[in-house]
Amino acid sequence: MTGSKPLPGVLRWNLGDLTVTALNDGWFQASLDLVTGISKEEAGRLQLAGFRTEQPKITLNAFLITGPGLKPTLIDTGYGDLAPAPTLGRAGAALALTGVKPEEIGTVLVSHLHPDHVGGLVKDGAARYPNAEIVLHADEAAHWLPDEALAQAPDAAKPYFEGARKALAPYAGKVREHRGGEVLPGITAVPLPGHTPGHCGFRIVSGGQSLMMWTDVVHLPAIQFKNPEAGVGFDVDGDQARETRKRILDEVASERTLIAGGHLEFPALGYVDRDGAGYSFVPVLWVGGE
């Protein structure tokens, strides 16, 4: 309904002994000017062919992992107080519906330090998750956090550097860096560089089942599945991001791996199938009440 307040988006999924809960943070209006690597005309055609508006809306999700032997764990946090539009910043309300309190979060796994993924770490200048350890790739910290990195950044990019520093400031002494590999029992960080230098996905394994949360491999599902050459202007290294996307799409399609994404349309869980020269996204079958 026009003008109605949207309900928080929350969906639980069992993965072995663990529960994965998708938390929708909202959406923002984008433009075909954001698309790189292919023509604007081709991007618009793919949008319309995918039953989407020509000018894309980009959705945003965070994820909660709970289960035996694991303190409640977030993968990313949404925009939070940094939300540039009222359609964003809803992950906190979604988390509240799960019954998990912010102070119960034991770990926040950070895919990368863009504001739409870490803005939710902070509430009114303080740590929103006061008991959480923040875990991120060492290359991500090295790219965004040093004083010299901020000083040398182009003026247009400085807000990204400032936002990363602001998000982590309340967690001084509680940040753990890694270079891939197991970061928590059953959860492995998978470096997926290009979108940012330390951009990571997370492979979650429990009870013989596996989920690959690939975060920002795909921002525009109607475009980038069909033509993986398409990138976005947010990519720090567009060529590397393109090669990473093509590699991971081939991998999860070949292995028939369950995947989730930070910018896949909610509830953001499904499979990748080959479709001609490109791919298709096949959402999981959700059966309520199971």
Side-chain angles (χ1 to χ4, degrees):
M1 292 175 59
T2 302
S4 63
K5 185 176 181 180
L7 296 173
V10 179
L11 187 138
R12 288 191 173 100
W13 191 263
N14 292 329
L15 188 80
D17 294 329
L18 300 179
T19 299
V20 178
T21 305
L23 308 171
N24 182 245
D25 196 60
W27 62 274
F28 63 95
Q29 182 65 59
S31 162
L32 292 179
D33 292 336
L34 178 68
V35 181
T36 64
I38 65 172
S39 71
K40 187 184 295 188
E41 292 73 20
E42 172 70 359
R45 184 191 68 77
L46 289 171
Q47 276 289 110
L48 294 175
F51 297 92
R52 299 293 179 264
T53 57
E54 185 175 18
Q55 298 298 319
K57 292 180 171 67
I58 295 181
T59 58
L60 176 60
N61 309 291
F63 298 86
L64 172 69
I65 316 297
T66 53
L70 189 70
K71 292 182 179 179
T73 296
L74 285 174
I75 298 179
D76 294 338
T77 63
Y79 254 120
D81 290 354
L82 298 182
T87 56
L88 290 160
R90 301 173 183 168
L95 178 65
L97 288 184
T98 71
V100 176
K101 297 178 174 60
E103 59 269 23
E104 294 176 316
I105 297 296
T107 307
V108 179
L109 301 175
V110 171
S111 66
H112 62 299
L113 287 171
H114 276 167
D116 53 328
H117 296 265
V118 295
L121 284 172
V122 177
K123 179 68 174 175
D124 298 326
R128 186 185 294 261
Y129 305 107
N131 298 314
E133 178 185 45
I134 311 303
V135 180
L136 76 160
H137 196 284
D139 289 349
E140 197 69 1
H143 180 78
W144 298 105
L145 300 180
D147 291 343
E148 57 270 24
L150 174 61
Q152 295 171 10
D155 288 345
K158 285 187 187 298
Y160 287 91
F161 290 80
E162 292 166 346
R165 293 156 64 100
K166 185 181 297 184
L168 291 185
Y171 297 89
K174 301 177 70 175
V175 177
R176 169 163 57 100
E177 297 180 11
H178 66 83
R179 290 197 172 276
E182 188 172 68
V183 289
L184 288 173
I187 303 179
T188 300
V190 180
L192 300 171
H195 179 57
T196 64
H199 175 246
C200 279
F202 297 94
R203 189 178 298 277
I204 305 158
V205 178
S206 178
Q209 299 181 43
S210 175
L211 169 67
M212 175 66 179
M213 214 299 270
W214 70 19
T215 58
D216 282 23
V217 166
V218 168
H219 289 79
L220 300 166
I223 296 172
Q224 290 175 295
F225 280 111
K226 298 299 183 185
N227 190 341
E229 294 290 333
V232 292
F234 303 132
D235 293 334
V236 172
D237 185 331
D239 290 340
Q240 188 179 41
R242 184 176 303 111
E243 291 308 309
T244 293
R245 180 167 46 258
K246 290 159 68 174
R247 173 178 58 80
I248 201 70
L249 282 167
D250 177 71
E251 179 180 306
V252 299
S254 297
E255 297 177 357
R256 299 175 67 84
T257 301
L258 178 65
I259 60 105
H263 295 288
L264 297 183
E265 291 151 346
F266 188 81
L269 290 160
Y271 298 89
V272 176
D273 192 20
R274 300 185 193 281
D275 186 0
Y279 300 87
S280 294
F281 178 65
V282 183
V284 293
L285 171 64
W286 179 77
V287 181
E290 280 201 341

